[in-house]
Amino acid sequence: MACSECFSGALHEGTPVGREETIHGLPTYVSEPPSGQVKGIIVIIPDAFGWNFKNNRILADTYAKRTNSRVYLPEFMDGHAAPASMMTHMDAIFEKGWMIGKILPTMQMLSGFLPFMFFNRLAVAQPRVYKFFHDLRNHEAASLPIGAAGFCWGGKFVFLLCSGSEKAANGKNLIDCGFTAHPSNLVNPADADAVTLPLSIAVGDVDFVMPLKEAEQVKGILEAKGKDTHEVVILPGAKHGFAVRAPPNDEEAVQQGKQATEQAVSWFAKCFGKLSL
């Protein structure tokens, strides 16, 4: 499921400081911890705007710096991420005005929306995502903890990976823990029931993709498995996309985004600190 808020928001200020490499066959944005001491690897599975979106890269840099982890932001969308210009088109569609003035931005929005939805549907994207994690676990992360952080589109994959249903060739889980903010495309309660690995979720109480009733259902299911290994934080007033694309002029949304970042950083620090691989 996708909604208008999946493609709305704003670009953030700042300059990414990482580098681009090809990692396990995929173009990947790589951000290293300034300390040079790598405690684990975090893989970001992004929102619809993909690996090249500045906000996602800045977030990767923040995670690397704050968690002393190497952060990978791979190109999981095979060149079919939604263009950042869609945020402008969405603004034009929903602003007040004559309907005739919305025809062009609607056509422009659809030209990005339809290819994204077709080329990144679950059956097509899941093999790409899983192959990356298999290769990662079997090679440089054979003895390092792996965390997955997913946003919107990427949240579904974090849930699937946290089921622990698939193992690497070395017999280990593909990841050790996951974090997701405002996930989409979930099938609940089934996806929540299947979770076995540590998972932290940040979601708003006015998220059209995961309505409050569903968020509370997921919270009940996961925290019943153990509040030390699962958490669901429901942020009052937070809308879909707040963790990545909060408009800088919306102070409440900015603070909600910062809260999600703090939640993720604390979660990975906690999980990586407990793991001895």
Side-chain angles (χ1 to χ4, degrees):
M1 176 183 178
C3 69
S4 61
E5 291 177 354
C6 293
F7 303 95
S8 301
L11 281 172
H12 292 172
E13 294 182 357
T15 302
V17 298
R19 65 185 186 275
E20 294 183 7
E21 290 186 21
T22 297
I23 305 291
H24 302 305
L26 295 181
T28 302
Y29 179 78
V30 182
S31 190
E32 300 280 359
S35 67
Q37 298 178 343
V38 177
K39 292 185 176 180
I41 296 177
I42 298 172
V43 180
I44 293 180
I45 312 176
D47 62 2
F49 296 101
W51 83 295
N52 209 23
F53 186 47
K54 184 172 76 168
N55 296 15
N56 289 330
R57 294 189 170 199
I58 291 172
L59 190 60
D61 294 339
T62 299
Y63 284 2
K65 181 179 180 180
R66 298 283 307 281
T67 67
N68 283 320
S69 300
R70 177 177 297 127
V71 180
Y72 290 153
L73 173 57
E75 164 58 301
F76 285 130
M77 299 177 182
D78 198 28
H80 296 287
S85 59
M86 282 187 66
M87 293 187 291
T88 302
H89 303 326
M90 294 302 297
D91 288 342
I93 291 169
F94 286 98
E95 70 181 5
K96 294 181 179 179
W98 295 98
M99 290 300 297
I100 193 170
K102 302 179 186 296
I103 294 175
L104 179 58
T106 298
M107 294 176 63
Q108 293 171 322
M109 181 276 292
L110 290 173
S111 70
F113 172 79
L114 294 176
F116 166 79
M117 294 299 293
F118 179 78
F119 290 106
N120 295 300
R121 62 195 189 278
L122 185 63
V124 174
Q126 187 171 349
R128 292 197 292 261
V129 174
Y130 271 49
K131 180 183 182 301
F132 186 90
F133 280 94
H134 272 281
D135 291 344
L136 181 62
R137 177 60 89 193
N138 289 325
H139 294 92
E140 71 265 36
S143 58
L144 281 174
I146 301 175
F151 303 89
C152 191
W153 177 84
K156 172 72 172 185
F157 298 100
V158 173
F159 265 79
L160 294 175
L161 289 163
C162 280
S163 73
S165 61
E166 191 156 341
K167 308 292 183 183
N170 56 20
K172 295 183 177 181
N173 290 317
L174 298 185
I175 67 171
D176 297 288
C177 59
F179 168 82
T180 178
H182 40 81
S184 63
N185 301 315
L186 298 180
V187 180
N188 284 312
D191 283 339
D193 285 334
V195 170
T196 63
L197 301 177
L199 175 61
S200 175
I201 302 171
V203 64
D205 65 356
V206 288
D207 189 326
F208 288 105
V209 179
M210 181 185 279
L212 179 58
K213 184 176 180 179
E214 182 182 351
E216 291 175 337
Q217 178 191 44
V218 171
K219 180 179 179 70
I221 292 171
L222 292 182
E223 294 187 354
K225 299 173 187 281
K227 291 188 176 180
D228 189 52
T229 53
H230 303 85
E231 67 175 10
V232 179
V233 178
I234 301 175
L235 285 76
K239 299 178 181 179
H240 192 77
F242 68 91
V244 180
R245 305 185 305 275
N249 60 353
D250 185 337
E251 183 59 30
E252 182 179 15
V254 169
Q255 291 304 315
Q256 292 161 347
K258 289 180 178 180
Q259 185 173 339
T261 297
E262 290 298 322
Q263 182 180 333
V265 166
S266 296
W267 186 253
F268 287 124
K270 172 184 172 181
C271 291
F272 288 3
K274 288 184 175 181
L275 294 168
S276 179
L277 301 180

